[in-house]
């Protein structure tokens, strides 16, 4: 019986997740559609990029790098200082969709990941529209 791959293994592990985090923040930094969420980030995106990469590693079933360095992600608590509504959620998700496409994540897996990303981003909303 064949063992089912974790999302981490299915996307290509550390190398592809690194490219995904890089591409996500490149898009956020350069695409006018994402200016709203870009404005919530520091001038240098490197720290945010590194944290996203570490979080995704564990979330996708690979090494739990974020937890090892920072403890439990507590995503909602860590994002409460930012006003996140439907627009910000949708910008984040759209940016991630483009990044996943650009790094070549297979369509079927992308759809599964998108559902999880959307649900998590929706959970981050903390302001009325």
């Amino acid at each position: 019986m064949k063992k089912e791959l974790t999302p981490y293994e299915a996307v290509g592990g550390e190398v592809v997740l690194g490219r995904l985090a890089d591409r996500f923040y490149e898009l956020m930094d350069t695409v006018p559609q994402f200016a709203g969420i870009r404005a919530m980030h520091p001038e240098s995106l490197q720290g945010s990029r590194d944290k996203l990469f570490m979080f995704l590693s564990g979330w996708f079933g690979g090494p739990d790098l974020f937890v090892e360095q920072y403890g439990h992600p507590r995503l909602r608590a860590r994002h409460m200082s930012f006003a996140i509504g439907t627009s910000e959620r949708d910008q984040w998700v759209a940016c991630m969709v483009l990044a996943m496409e650009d790094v070549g994540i297979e369509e079927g897996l992308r759809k599964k990941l998108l559902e999880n990303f959307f649900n998590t981003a929706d959970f981050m909303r903390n302001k009325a529209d």
Side-chain angles (χ1 to χ4, degrees):
M1 181 166 195
K2 188 177 175 187
K3 176 186 165 278
E4 189 169 324
L5 297 178
T6 64
Y8 182 85
E9 294 164 329
V11 299
E14 179 181 351
V15 171
V16 175
L17 280 185
R19 288 180 29 228
L20 179 63
D22 288 343
R23 186 64 183 143
F24 177 83
Y25 282 105
E26 286 169 10
L27 290 165
M28 183 191 294
D29 201 32
T30 59
V31 176
Q33 172 189 351
F34 306 133
I37 57 172
R38 175 60 179 98
M40 297 176 161
H41 289 77
E43 184 177 337
S44 170
L45 293 171
Q46 189 62 48
S48 300
R49 178 262 178 229
D50 292 346
K51 286 177 181 173
L52 177 65
F53 166 75
M54 289 187 283
F55 172 76
L56 291 178
S57 177
W59 200 51
F60 278 40
D64 218 350
L65 304 173
F66 188 95
V67 171
E68 290 169 10
Q69 185 153 350
Y70 299 103
H72 189 283
R74 301 186 341 266
L75 288 180
R76 190 161 163 86
R78 290 183 195 269
H79 290 83
M80 279 308 257
S81 61
F82 303 100
I84 301 172
T86 303
S87 174
E88 293 78 14
R89 175 202 65 198
D90 291 350
Q91 287 177 57
W92 194 96
V93 171
C95 190
M96 184 55 75
V97 166
L98 291 175
M100 287 193 295
E101 290 173 358
D102 287 354
V103 301
I105 294 175
E106 185 272 322
E107 184 180 5
L109 181 55
R110 247 185 6 244
K111 287 180 179 180
K112 290 177 189 170
L113 293 173
L114 173 57
E115 183 177 343
N116 291 328
F117 280 131
F118 179 86
N119 290 337
T120 302
D122 194 52
F123 181 66
M124 296 298 110
R125 287 186 307 128
N126 59 21
K127 76 171 187 180
D129 293 316

